[in-house]
Amino acid sequence: MASDTLTYWDACRRGELLVQRCTACARRVHLPAPECPRCGGADLVYEPVSGHGAVHTFTVVHRSFVPEFRGREPYVLAWIDLPEGVRAFGQVVGCPPERVRIGMPVRVTFADDLPQWRPA
Amino acid sequence: MRDRAAVAGIGMTALTRSSGRTELELAVEASRAACADAGVEPGEVDAVLSYHLNDSAPVVQVAAALRIEPLGWHNDITGGGTQAASILGDAAMLVASGLARTVLVYRALNGRSGTRMNTVSTGPQERFTRPYGMAGPIPMFALAAQRYLHETGLTEEHLHAVVAQSRENAAANPRALRRDPLSLEDYLARPYVCSPLRTVDCCQETDGACALVVRDARLAPGAPRIHAVVRGGGPGCSSMDRSPDVTQIFSGHLAPLLWERSGMKPGDVDVALLYDAYSWLVPRQLEDFGLAARAELGEFLLRRRHAAVNPHGGLLSEGYVHGLNNVAQAVRELRGDRETALVTGFGGSYGSAAILTRGR
């Protein structure tokens, strides 16, 4: 029942984005979860994804509520639709914040051991 | 529980940005005012309810300070805005079940000078979002707002119409923290917190308290009745990782249930007290409750056909007593010339809604 997020974070450190797959219903599951939110299956395995995606929605943070991020604004937070059928989170980097649009194609990139997204 | 309970009294402290007083003092002042307004002695209260996020005075302390002895049913309910309408249901259930006849309900907080909401936990998904610089409700609901504008075609001009109308409505309200007009030019000059939400698209963090006295309607026949209350939710902006529609909020889930339980329809509502912690929640709820169709939302807002929403200025302009001040306004409206009020409580895609009707 315990959520195995170590595998996820370890892969991030290697520069690899892993997304769970439910062995019972074959659906992909993300963010990492201890059980499949759809069928309840408890056997979830991590598998790599293509790293492609599109911006589902975003916000440009001009005033951060995370102390260690103050002074680093503006930065872009976004939910990214992956073709594997799940949604991932991250910053959109590598372009000015004002260029980010809903629907914009992006690719995963890694910074600070975290998956981030840059224009494709 | 339909019409079995009535809101017999309301009380509020001054709303400020620095009360200089404890939450207990604020709660006691508002509670005494609500009892006086209801024409009851605090000692006649036999149940006490509050909702908070460990940022307030617990009900036993408030009951002791008011010398409510012995204390009957009492509960501290966890939650913020999500509870604003359903706390009426909790009180009405106590009345309808015979467990209480006179229920004191309050929300007291030093929301500006004490514990602020802007870094409150948004749930277990935070371990995957905080490392990117996300914390608190504003970026979360900004993400939903951005997608909502995209899907509806609404723009900053429409958000301005919401905020400007709120300021106009507050102009004659001496309790309101923000009463000055807001031109489109002024609005556009305000800084973003998290786009598309500017400072003025977010409600006023507030110090203050609001209290209600809910009684068996037979004891307060002329008081506004608690006609129907619903609480619930589902997928939406509270679970953006796996919700098909991240713009969904509580009202999309609850509106059909509210009409069913109340036996009413949108056209029966003549004043809407919508939980307006963020400007975009007004069109979202107008649409969900059937008060305006999506296709006409833009025109609806620009023509200010929402002028009757939150006639006191709501949370955007009066202040933010976590929505209970909107319930108090519903009662004032029903004591005036209004017949039917809708009041809502927002907690992302979970929340509550109530219909109050004029006393008899």
Side-chain angles (χ1 to χ4, degrees):
Chain A
M1 181 67 205
S3 179
D4 165 28
T5 58
L6 277 180
T7 305
Y8 172 80
W9 294 118
D10 282 346
C12 287
R13 279 187 279 278
R14 295 195 305 272
E16 190 176 23
L17 177 59
L18 297 184
V19 165
Q20 290 171 306
R21 182 176 56 81
C22 172
T23 58
C25 72
R27 285 195 182 92
R28 302 302 287 261
V29 175
H30 194 67
L31 304 165
E35 286 185 358
C36 174
R38 293 182 178 87
C39 81
D43 185 20
L44 302 175
V45 293
Y46 280 102
E47 292 178 352
V49 287
S50 66
H52 292 280
V55 173
H56 183 80
T57 192
F58 70 96
T59 182
V60 184
V61 176
H62 290 263
R63 187 181 150 207
S64 182
F65 298 101
V66 181
E68 56 272 30
F69 279 78
R70 292 213 184 105
R72 291 162 65 177
E73 306 99 331
Y75 56 88
V76 181
L77 300 174
W79 285 103
I80 308 295
D81 288 326
L82 307 191
E84 288 81 4
V86 293
R87 209 171 275 147
F89 193 75
Q91 288 194 8
V92 178
V93 298
C95 78
E98 59 272 18
R99 276 195 41 214
V100 177
R101 293 285 178 273
I102 288 173
M104 188 170 98
V106 289
R107 282 215 68 172
V108 74
T109 183
F110 283 82
D112 303 329
D113 293 335
L114 290 172
Q116 315 275 4
W117 304 88
R118 60 176 171 79
Chain B
M1 68 185 180
R2 186 189 285 191
D3 296 327
R4 299 264 303 270
V7 187
I10 57 175
M12 276 173 69
T13 64
L15 304 181
T16 69
R17 292 165 65 82
S18 182
S19 72
R21 301 163 72 200
T22 64
E23 292 87 357
L24 177 62
E25 291 172 299
L26 295 170
V28 165
E29 179 189 328
S31 297
R32 285 198 175 120
C35 287
D37 187 46
V40 303
E41 292 297 325
E44 293 176 70
V45 168
D46 51 11
V48 182
L49 300 175
S50 183
Y51 59 96
H52 56 77
L53 296 157
N54 291 324
D55 57 357
S56 190
V59 290
V60 289
Q61 286 184 17
V62 173
L66 291 167
R67 288 181 287 283
I68 298 171
E69 290 164 346
L71 177 60
W73 194 279
H74 59 284
N75 248 326
D76 291 283
I77 297 171
T78 295
T82 179
Q83 304 290 352
S86 53
I87 194 94
L88 292 169
D90 295 309
M93 283 189 275
L94 290 176
V95 168
S97 66
L99 285 166
R101 281 150 54 94
T102 302
V103 185
L104 172 67
V105 173
Y106 68 87
R107 175 73 175 111
L109 72 169
N110 282 318
R112 182 63 176 78
S113 70
T115 306
R116 297 174 69 171
M117 277 293 290
N118 56 21
T119 55
V120 77
S121 171
T122 53
Q125 79 278 11
E126 272 192 338
R127 61 195 166 136
F128 296 103
T129 56
R130 194 178 170 98
Y132 295 96
M134 170 136 154
I138 297 178
M140 178 175 172
F141 296 126
L143 284 159
Q146 190 84 262
R147 184 78 195 187
Y148 184 66
L149 298 185
H150 176 77
E151 291 184 1
T152 57
L154 296 178
T155 67
E156 56 198 3
E157 202 182 343
H158 300 106
L159 297 185
H160 164 257
V162 173
V163 183
Q165 186 62 49
S166 166
R167 295 290 193 269
E168 277 181 41
N169 288 358
N173 175 2
R175 296 178 305 275
L177 289 168
R178 292 281 182 274
R179 279 176 273 178
D180 294 333
L182 185 70
S183 69
L184 179 58
E185 193 184 5
D186 290 345
Y187 172 83
L188 294 174
R190 297 304 171 99
Y192 283 116
V193 183
C194 296
S195 71
L197 302 180
R198 294 174 160 87
T199 51
V200 288
D201 290 298
C202 305
C203 63
Q204 307 290 322
E205 289 175 303
T206 303
D207 290 6
C210 180
L212 314 171
V213 172
V214 174
R215 303 198 82 187
D216 186 317
R218 290 168 297 188
L219 301 174
R225 301 288 171 96
I226 300 171
H227 183 71
V229 188
V230 293
R231 173 167 182 80
C237 66
S238 294
S239 49
M240 293 195 204
D241 53 336
R242 58 190 50 149
S243 296
D245 181 1
V246 302
T247 73
Q248 178 96 286
I249 65 170
F250 73 101
S251 42
H253 296 291
L254 288 182
L257 194 58
L258 182 68
W259 302 131
E260 184 193 317
R261 296 271 169 85
S262 63
M264 291 184 172
K265 54 188 188 305
D268 294 326
V269 171
D270 50 14
V271 63
L273 288 305
L274 303 181
Y275 197 98
D276 57 341
Y278 306 102
S279 56
W280 73 279
L281 298 181
V282 171
R284 173 84 264 191
Q285 290 174 77
L286 286 171
E287 183 183 0
D288 288 342
F289 285 110
L291 303 172
R294 173 167 289 201
E296 63 167 9
L297 268 179
E299 275 301 291
F300 193 93
L301 294 172
L302 293 181
R303 290 176 183 276
R304 303 292 181 89
R305 288 171 60 196
H306 65 295
V309 171
N310 296 344
H312 59 318
L315 312 180
L316 285 169
S317 297
E318 183 180 78
Y320 180 63
V321 195
H322 249 142
L324 206 60
N325 52 320
N326 280 6
V327 179
Q329 185 64 28
V331 171
R332 292 186 199 100
E333 297 290 326
L334 295 168
R335 287 172 175 179
D337 56 0
R338 303 290 194 173
E339 294 288 333
T340 304
L342 167 65
V343 60
T344 67
F346 162 83
S349 47
Y350 299 84
S352 57
I355 295 284
L356 303 184
T357 54
R358 195 180 172 83
R360 297 170 187 159

